[in-house]
Amino acid sequence: MLDSTPMPQLPQRGDEGVLNQGNGLTLRDQEAKLDQIQKDNFSLKLKIHYLEEALRKNGTSFQQQTLKENAVEQRHADVKALERELDLARQSGQGDVEEVQRRLQMLRAELEAEHAEAKQALEDEILVLESTFDDLQAEKAALE
């Protein structure tokens, strides 16, 4: 049984190093590739933004609600990431604690504003629905 298990081997020193194992890109090529990837990433983010905007304008209420929920979930993820970064900065004494705290406060303020806005929109919708219900009840009574 021991004969069938391969033993790990350390790499040999010499011409077989990591830099000589088929990495044919120069630093300039790698930077160009990185630039292209960053441009592609920006382009995709822009496309997503415009598609989400079009969906907000033309989509069904379910799709619009889904977009709002995704935005809120993304905000929560941002807050959690900043909290982890802040904890790490506090523990290690590295990083800009004040900057992280400022960004965290901004995100919290944005979340609170979005929450208040959503709550107000729901309350407005309830008022409209109650008014419509009252009108329909009056119409029903008139028909009877």
Side-chain angles (χ1 to χ4, degrees):
M1 181 153 197
L2 291 176
D3 294 334
S4 65
T5 305
M7 294 297 293
Q9 302 266 332
L10 292 175
Q12 299 292 325
R13 292 193 179 243
D15 292 341
E16 299 293 323
V18 174
L19 295 177
N20 295 327
Q21 291 180 350
N23 185 0
L25 294 178
T26 64
L27 181 58
R28 184 166 294 160
D29 292 339
Q30 290 175 358
E31 288 174 346
K33 184 74 170 168
L34 180 61
D35 286 342
Q36 185 60 43
I37 290 171
Q38 287 173 338
K39 288 177 185 175
D40 291 345
N41 187 30
F42 177 75
S43 174
L44 289 171
K45 285 182 180 182
L46 196 59
K47 185 181 272 187
I48 288 170
H49 171 75
Y50 284 120
L51 288 172
E52 286 177 343
E53 193 64 32
L55 194 56
R56 272 190 207 95
K57 291 179 182 175
N58 302 325
T60 64
S61 61
F62 175 75
Q63 291 169 330
Q64 293 173 355
Q65 182 63 28
T66 302
L67 283 175
K68 287 179 185 176
E69 289 172 5
N70 287 345
V72 169
E73 288 175 13
Q74 181 60 43
R75 296 284 185 181
H76 286 294
D78 290 344
V79 168
K80 292 291 183 190
L82 283 173
E83 287 174 344
R84 283 192 303 272
E85 188 177 332
L86 180 60
D87 288 341
L88 180 64
R90 284 182 179 153
Q91 290 173 0
S92 66
Q94 297 173 350
D96 189 359
V97 175
E98 292 82 20
E99 173 65 18
V100 172
Q101 287 176 331
R102 184 187 63 75
R103 287 174 31 207
L104 185 58
Q105 284 302 107
M106 283 178 36
L107 276 174
R108 282 192 177 146
E110 288 176 18
L111 279 173
E112 289 172 1
E114 288 174 6
H115 174 72
E117 185 179 309
K119 182 179 177 184
Q120 183 62 46
L122 288 173
E123 289 173 352
D124 293 345
E125 188 173 344
I126 288 171
L127 290 174
V128 168
L129 291 172
E130 287 175 343
S131 174
T132 303
F133 180 72
D134 291 341
D135 292 345
L136 289 173
Q137 278 188 328
E139 194 175 317
K140 179 184 172 186
L143 289 174
E144 290 176 347

